Amino acid sequence: QVQLVESGGGLVQAGGSLRLSCAASGRTLSPYVMGWFRQAPGKEREFVAAIDWSGGNVWYADSVKGRFTISRDSAKNTVYLQMNSLKPEDTAVYYCAANRRGMNLSATAWYDYWGQGTQVTVSS
């Protein structure tokens, strides 16, 4: 089992920044790809970013490229999402997830473990 706990959400004005953290515990995470997803009210959960835990390869949704940065600290078993130049349309609950097979990184069904989510609200 892998337990994931997100933190760092909050209310911020448009153009501001937030850094989300995802602390992982349980099994070793070296084979896992770690991802961030978000879900706005009335919308489906969507892919935001992912990082290969061991290799540092990263992937981003087009909507956040150039504004968001995913990173990880293997020693702390923690994944981060630095969000800059935030827009009101970034408002959502943000979820951290672990993908054991390292495939179909943008598909929620391929992720095995999920955190409880953290709310990000961007005011205009």
Side-chain angles (χ1 to χ4, degrees):
Q1 284 286 345
V2 173
Q3 291 80 41
L4 304 173
V5 178
E6 303 97 334
S7 61
L11 173 64
V12 64
Q13 289 188 335
S17 299
L18 281 174
R19 188 176 81 154
L20 305 183
S21 299
C22 173
S25 62
R27 296 179 179 177
T28 177
L29 294 174
S30 58
Y32 288 85
V33 171
M34 300 299 296
W36 284 98
F37 287 75
R38 65 187 182 187
Q39 188 167 18
K43 295 188 176 181
E44 293 189 355
R45 195 168 298 189
E46 65 174 3
F47 171 76
V48 175
I51 186 167
D52 179 329
W53 191 265
S54 58
N57 297 307
V58 298
W59 300 266
Y60 295 99
D62 288 342
S63 58
V64 305
K65 274 181 185 175
R67 300 189 299 122
F68 290 11
T69 302
I70 189 171
S71 62
R72 84 277 191 257
D73 184 331
S74 299
K76 295 183 178 180
N77 258 10
T78 301
V79 178
Y80 303 98
L81 186 67
Q82 177 67 43
M83 305 186 295
N84 299 329
S85 301
L86 282 162
K87 305 174 181 179
E89 51 263 45
D90 294 318
T91 295
V93 177
Y94 283 70
Y95 297 90
C96 174
N99 183 320
R100 182 177 50 195
R101 289 154 288 185
M103 299 174 64
N104 291 26
L105 301 183
S106 62
T108 57
W110 284 75
Y111 284 77
D112 305 279
Y113 303 103
W114 292 84
Q116 82 289 351
T118 186
Q119 176 70 46
V120 171
T121 303
V122 184
S123 63
S124 57

